[in-house]
Amino acid sequence: MPAQKDRWVSSFVFLLFCVSSIPQCGSASLQQEQSPQHYFSGLEAGKTSLAFFSPSVSPGAQPFLEHIESSAEALQDYGVSVVKVNCPKEDVSRYCGKENALRKAFLFSALLFNEVKYVETLADLENIENVLKGKSNMVFAYVPATGTAEHRAVMEAAFVYGTIHQFVLTTEAALLKATSHDDPDVSSAWLLFCHCQQVTEPAQACRRTALAQPLTLLSIHRHLKLMGAPLVTEVAEDPEKISTVHLQLGLPLVFILSQKETYEADRRTAEFVAWQLLGKAGVALLSRDLVELNVLQRSNVALKTPEEGMPIQYLVLEDTDEVITLVEDKNKVKQIQEDEQEEEEEEDEDEKENNNQDIQDDQVVEAVSRDKKRELPLEQILVLTEENFHSSLSEAARTVVLFYATWEAVSLAVLRSYSEVAAHLQGTPGVLLSRVNCWDWPGLCSQENVTQFPTLRIYQEGQQSVTYGGMWGTEELSSFILLSQVSSPLKLATMDEAEGYLRGEFPSELSSHHHPSLLGVFSSATSKAREAFEEAGNILSGHVRMGMYFEEDALALSQKYSVSPPALLLARSGGRSVEGIALSGHSVQDMVQMIRYELLDIFPEITVPNLPQYLQLGKPFLILFSAGDISQVESKEMLKLATGRPHQTFVVCWLNLKKTPVGYGILRTYFSTTPPLPLLLWVNLHAGGQVFKFPSEQSITELNILSWLERLQAGLEIPSSTLSEEDWKPPLPAYDFLQMMEPSVPELSPHPGATPAQHPPKNPGGDTAGGDSAAREEPSQEGTAEEVGAPGRGLRGTAPRLAARDKQGRRHSEL
């Protein structure tokens, strides 16, 4: 029995005075015990005793015994009792053997018997782990042999920390190998901190963090102190003022810079990095929204070292691997800073070049670049993420979602219009404006089948989402959102409601919008046409104001406007004139095309937003260029020309250069210089590209124009210029954003936040990353990055995707 206990008992040899006797200090006497067995069985937890083992009180040992007895009272003041153990003659153990007969005493602490458990097999170790799960953490130590310096260090640490953690000891090399993923050096001592306290599932293993330093009492103390620190510290003050246990122990502190839009993902990223760096560095989450940092907006990681006077390094890193390398390789900081300095110099050169240009190769990029320092008022627009997307859709009757990318110029331009829409529609009941940054949340955008930027959709519970397909101006977007609030087509129940609708009496949501009103009239015998009209209304929802009437008196309503069901009644100018249009086809696409055509103005003013609608007609343009509003005489003559014959084969229109200055560029393309205004031109963009100029000496009247058109069609007029046959293409190729994102963002798994496995470096504990935090749910030891809940190898927050955006944008502008 004593021989077995010798494996895990720490002994301190006290060489008591061998010289002259010490004066008597009190009356305390030795506590006599009958046998070693009785002494060891009577040890109590937390009690310490100095034991003298004696086979018999020989004359030579008598002075030694007197010195021990004289010291008993002084030792009691320190909580140490002095005990004399009588050894039987047959006991030849370490304590009762002859070699210990003279002048040796042993200090025993009961916790070494009761708290330090010795294990020989993997099953024994797993049984202890299972008992500790959800309750306490474990310190597992391997020493090649008892009595060594490492063994004493473990036992002394157990004396201090035994009430906090469960200490487990082994000298079995086979057990050490069974707990490791590689082949550990069994000639050296190992210590593993096993994180069992936060394990909630019985089948989940305790993660293990190995002590990387040589096993000494100081290194064990340092390691246990680090394991007790919070896994991630959230800070809301200047990083220069932050001090944590890691900095105090000479380790660096890594700051993950975050923002409120991506807080949850940044939190998971910080936890993932913290597990990887546990014992090597501390990790803190710093919110840009709470602390004003005078650093680059794209910086996403900061490093604070324990050396005094060293400034904090703010860096732009691409993924979590770089953060880990940053800590493990000190040269990495210098390399990253040099790379960033080179990039900044390149950007400065590019900006100087761009400033010297009259216009960039892409006018949208140029406009965004010009306004890049202006802050957008986005406070009224809800930020959606993978976590809150679906729950937020149910918070309002209709949720408007803008899908965009922060690196893409058109997205940023539309975001400005969208912020103006938010201000315009502030307080509108039942409408929630929100946005999703697809560079932050590619999985969410992929789920919603968003394949181009920007995309605007309106979600309504129980209905299919509606995608916007118009121009991106503030007025167009606002109109689409408000029109989408009303059913399309709006079903009217009485004749009075139908006629009121044609007069401009609309639901309150539409009262401020002066769109033409379209009313479909159907009888019971025209059900197919009615179904096609309803489907067309769904397609045109948000773009057209449509109503439908199919009651018994529908025939009387249509005949009032000289048509028979199925028919369309089109009211322009607030219902002052109503036009009856017969419906001939029942195809949904034909009906959509017909409705769009009928809603076009008879004599439109061409603007940038409406030009595509008229170009899609594929007809020649008879267009009057004016330096301002055209005169009433000219307007009357042109309107007579537009309405004189049904189904005109050309578009009669005009362009106000004062409101649409891009018209000057058009005229410079047609002519070398801008000719005198007003100017009437015939332009056939779809056949030959010939431009004919109406004679300036003739007045603009219907008769003169018709006479000129007859000569033109007879081939008697000579074109003033001919446009190039070269296709009109964008100045730059389209962004393939999925391909651009591929190097920076890993392949997405079906689970939000889950990512491909990331294998940490191996060690005898099977994991270099581990830690303990009372407020965190800890993943299992064998867990990959997915099980840890890591957001992936790419950082979010203010993150490196912004750096990627800048690089992509620069490459794009150089094409």
Side-chain angles (χ1 to χ4, degrees):
M1 181 73 174
Q4 184 180 6
K5 292 176 181 175
D6 179 45
R7 293 178 174 176
W8 33 267
V9 174
S10 174
S11 60
F12 294 88
V13 179
F14 288 83
L15 183 58
L16 302 181
F17 302 106
C18 299
V19 292
S20 59
S21 62
I22 297 177
Q24 195 76 9
C25 297
S27 59
S29 62
L30 295 176
Q31 300 177 18
Q32 299 295 323
E33 299 293 342
Q34 295 180 357
S35 66
Q37 289 80 5
H38 186 270
Y39 168 70
F40 287 125
S41 64
L43 284 174
E44 297 180 18
K47 299 296 180 64
T48 306
S49 60
L50 180 68
F52 171 72
F53 293 84
S54 175
S56 62
V57 184
S58 61
Q62 187 65 41
F64 175 61
L65 188 60
E66 291 174 359
H67 284 298
I68 291 180
E69 187 170 5
S70 66
S71 305
E73 185 175 11
L75 290 172
Q76 280 183 344
D77 293 339
Y78 294 94
V80 180
S81 62
V82 180
V83 181
K84 176 178 177 295
V85 182
N86 294 320
C87 295
K89 292 181 180 181
E90 65 274 9
D91 192 345
V92 291
S93 67
R94 173 182 177 184
Y95 304 105
C96 291
K98 292 180 180 180
E99 72 277 6
N100 295 293
L102 291 176
R103 300 176 184 178
K104 285 188 179 180
F106 297 87
L107 185 68
F108 291 92
S109 175
L111 68 84
L112 303 179
F113 292 95
N114 299 334
E115 300 298 334
V116 179
K117 299 182 183 297
Y118 182 84
V119 294
E120 295 181 344
T121 66
L122 183 60
D124 294 338
L125 181 63
E126 291 176 346
N127 289 337
I128 295 175
E129 279 190 342
N130 291 334
V131 172
L132 293 176
K133 287 177 182 177
K135 301 175 184 177
S136 179
N137 296 313
M138 181 177 72
V139 179
F140 173 56
Y142 162 79
V143 292
T146 57
T148 60
E150 292 87 353
H151 177 214
R152 290 196 297 273
V154 172
M155 304 307 285
E156 290 173 28
F159 182 80
V160 178
Y161 295 100
T163 57
I164 304 173
H165 309 302
Q166 173 65 65
F167 279 72
V168 177
L169 180 70
T170 189
T171 57
E172 302 295 333
L175 178 55
L176 176 65
K177 292 181 178 180
T179 60
S180 307
H181 292 303
D182 52 6
D183 189 15
D185 180 10
V186 296
S187 64
S188 302
W190 292 94
L191 185 137
L192 308 173
F193 187 89
C194 304
H195 308 270
C196 299
Q197 188 172 18
Q198 299 300 319
V199 175
T200 55
E201 298 295 331
Q204 185 179 356
C206 303
R207 287 185 65 112
R208 297 166 184 164
T209 305
L211 173 65
Q213 291 78 30
L215 201 156
T216 64
L217 183 59
L218 183 61
S219 64
I220 295 174
H221 166 76
R222 185 173 180 271
H223 192 61
L224 296 183
K225 198 168 183 180
L226 290 172
M227 297 303 102
L231 183 63
V232 174
T233 304
E234 294 197 27
V235 295
E237 58 179 314
D238 187 349
E240 295 284 358
K241 302 176 182 178
I242 300 298
S243 178
T244 66
V245 65
H246 306 87
L247 293 170
Q248 296 163 10
L249 293 177
L251 296 178
L253 181 62
V254 175
F255 293 91
I256 303 296
L257 306 188
S258 177
Q259 57 187 6
K260 62 183 179 181
E261 290 88 348
T262 55
Y263 169 79
E264 293 299 331
D266 296 331
R267 175 79 211 188
R268 293 197 302 272
T269 298
E271 290 177 359
F272 177 78
V273 171
W275 281 108
Q276 302 299 310
L277 295 178
L278 194 60
K280 301 176 182 178
V283 176
L285 189 65
L286 176 62
S287 174
R288 285 182 174 272
D289 304 307
L290 301 177
V291 181
E292 185 174 349
L293 300 174
N294 188 24
V295 296
L296 291 175
Q297 183 65 27
R298 64 183 183 180
S299 297
N300 61 322
V301 172
L303 180 67
K304 184 175 184 179
T305 56
E307 294 83 6
E308 290 189 14
M310 290 295 293
I312 294 179
Q313 308 294 333
Y314 291 91
L315 308 166
V316 180
L317 302 184
E318 295 293 339
D319 53 38
T320 53
D321 284 345
E322 288 197 4
V323 181
I324 296 164
T325 305
L326 181 71
V327 172
E328 296 176 344
D329 184 1
K330 294 182 179 179
N331 295 326
K332 185 69 174 177
V333 180
K334 185 177 180 181
Q335 178 186 340
I336 292 174
Q337 289 177 324
E338 291 175 353
D339 292 344
E340 288 184 1
Q341 186 175 359
E342 290 177 5
E343 287 183 12
E344 289 176 14
E345 291 174 355
E346 290 177 7
E347 289 174 4
D348 291 341
E349 292 177 3
D350 290 343
E351 189 169 352
K352 289 178 183 177
E353 291 178 6
N354 292 336
N355 290 338
N356 292 331
Q357 296 175 354
D358 293 331
I359 191 169
Q360 293 190 6
D361 51 1
D362 187 305
Q363 294 185 19
V364 177
V365 173
E366 186 241 353
V368 171
S369 176
R370 185 177 60 244
D371 298 337
K372 64 182 178 182
K373 294 184 179 180
R374 291 175 56 190
E375 290 291 332
L376 293 178
L378 303 174
E379 298 82 8
Q380 301 173 36
I381 304 174
L382 178 66
V383 176
L384 299 183
T385 67
E386 288 177 347
E387 284 81 3
N388 68 353
F389 180 80
H390 296 288
S391 60
S392 298
L393 296 184
S394 60
E395 291 181 5
R398 283 171 178 80
T399 303
V400 185
V401 184
L402 175 66
F403 297 90
Y404 69 102
T406 49
W407 48 262
E408 197 263 330
V410 177
S411 287
L412 295 178
V414 171
L415 198 59
R416 183 169 299 281
S417 296
Y418 197 51
S419 66
E420 295 171 357
V421 171
H424 180 66
L425 299 182
Q426 185 178 6
T428 302
V431 176
L432 175 65
L433 265 62
S434 61
R435 57 190 171 102
V436 173
N437 185 354
C438 290
W439 189 246
D440 285 337
W441 308 106
L444 175 58
C445 297
S446 178
Q447 259 182 10
E448 294 302 308
N449 197 28
V450 175
T451 58
Q452 62 183 16
F453 300 144
T455 293
L456 185 103
R457 285 188 185 153
I458 297 182
Y459 292 83
Q460 184 176 1
E461 191 172 356
Q463 296 186 17
Q464 189 175 2
S465 62
V466 177
T467 302
Y468 179 63
M471 300 297 288
W472 291 102
T474 303
E475 184 178 347
E476 291 82 3
L477 287 173
S478 299
S479 174
F480 173 75
I481 293 169
L482 290 176
L483 280 176
S484 298
Q485 286 187 276
V486 180
S487 299
S488 180
L490 180 65
K491 296 177 181 178
L492 305 169
T494 66
M495 178 83 79
D496 290 339
E497 285 185 5
E499 293 189 326
Y501 178 82
L502 292 173
R503 289 194 300 269
E505 298 171 4
F506 311 115
S508 58
E509 296 90 342
L510 306 181
S511 58
S512 61
H513 287 265
H514 307 291
H515 293 270
S517 300
L518 193 69
L519 178 65
V521 183
F522 305 93
S523 64
S524 57
T526 57
S527 58
K528 287 186 178 180
R530 188 186 77 186
E531 291 172 0
F533 184 78
E534 286 188 81
E535 184 61 30
N538 292 332
I539 295 173
L540 296 171
S541 176
H543 298 282
V544 180
R545 185 156 54 194
M546 295 175 62
M548 183 170 66
Y549 189 69
F550 54 93
E551 301 299 327
E552 294 180 354
D553 51 358
L555 180 60
L557 177 64
S558 61
Q559 287 180 344
K560 183 177 179 180
Y561 298 99
S562 305
V563 287
S564 299
L568 299 180
L569 302 181
L570 178 60
R572 303 179 188 270
S573 305
R576 288 191 294 270
S577 64
V578 177
E579 178 184 355
I581 305 166
L583 279 176
S584 55
H586 296 162
S587 164
V588 174
Q589 284 304 118
D590 289 345
M591 198 167 291
V592 168
Q593 186 174 355
M594 176 184 178
I595 290 171
R596 283 177 170 163
Y597 176 77
E598 294 295 342
L599 288 172
L600 295 176
D601 289 336
I602 298 173
F603 177 48
E605 177 188 353
I606 295 297
T607 62
V608 172
N610 70 13
L611 176 61
Q613 301 175 34
Y614 294 96
L615 284 176
Q616 288 174 358
L617 298 176
K619 299 178 180 180
F621 275 41
L622 181 63
I623 181 169
L624 176 65
F625 288 83
S626 173
D629 291 334
I630 58 178
S631 66
Q632 290 186 353
V633 174
E634 292 170 341
S635 177
K636 183 178 179 181
E637 293 296 323
M638 294 290 289
L639 190 58
K640 285 165 57 178
L641 187 67
T643 57
R645 290 179 294 174
H647 306 295
Q648 285 284 0
T649 56
F650 55 90
V651 177
V652 182
C653 56
W654 70 289
L655 190 149
N656 185 346
L657 294 176
K658 192 173 183 180
K659 288 174 59 177
T660 312
V662 69
Y664 286 106
I666 295 173
L667 289 178
R668 282 194 292 270
T669 301
Y670 294 166
F671 310 97
S672 57
T673 59
T674 303
L677 301 176
L679 177 67
L680 183 64
L681 300 177
W682 172 277
V683 184
N684 193 346
L685 300 172
H686 307 281
Q690 292 180 326
V691 179
F692 294 89
K693 177 184 174 184
F694 180 75
S696 56
E697 65 275 7
Q698 295 187 25
S699 59
I700 298 177
T701 64
E702 179 187 12
L703 185 61
N704 288 341
I705 295 172
L706 287 175
S707 175
W708 175 63
L709 290 177
E710 288 176 0
R711 292 196 305 274
L712 188 153
Q713 291 173 358
L716 302 177
E717 291 287 330
I718 300 174
S720 301
S721 62
T722 302
L723 301 177
S724 170
E725 294 183 0
E726 182 181 356
D727 291 339
W728 291 8
K729 294 180 179 179
L732 298 174
Y735 287 103
D736 185 348
F737 66 89
L738 291 176
Q739 184 178 4
M740 292 167 64
M741 291 167 66
E742 189 176 359
S744 299
V745 180
E747 183 180 353
L748 300 173
S749 72
H751 306 288
T755 60
Q758 181 174 351
H759 302 288
K762 296 178 179 179
N763 63 60
D767 213 331
T768 57
D772 191 27
S773 171
R776 298 286 172 270
E777 179 181 352
E778 300 182 35
S780 65
Q781 170 198 351
E782 292 84 1
T784 62
E786 298 142 305
E787 295 165 353
V788 176
R793 304 169 74 99
L795 298 166
R796 297 183 189 272
T798 323
R801 63 202 178 290
L802 296 179
R805 177 202 69 191
D806 291 346
K807 295 174 185 176
Q808 295 290 357
R810 183 164 61 252
R811 286 198 296 269
H812 195 65
S813 65
E814 292 166 354
L815 292 175

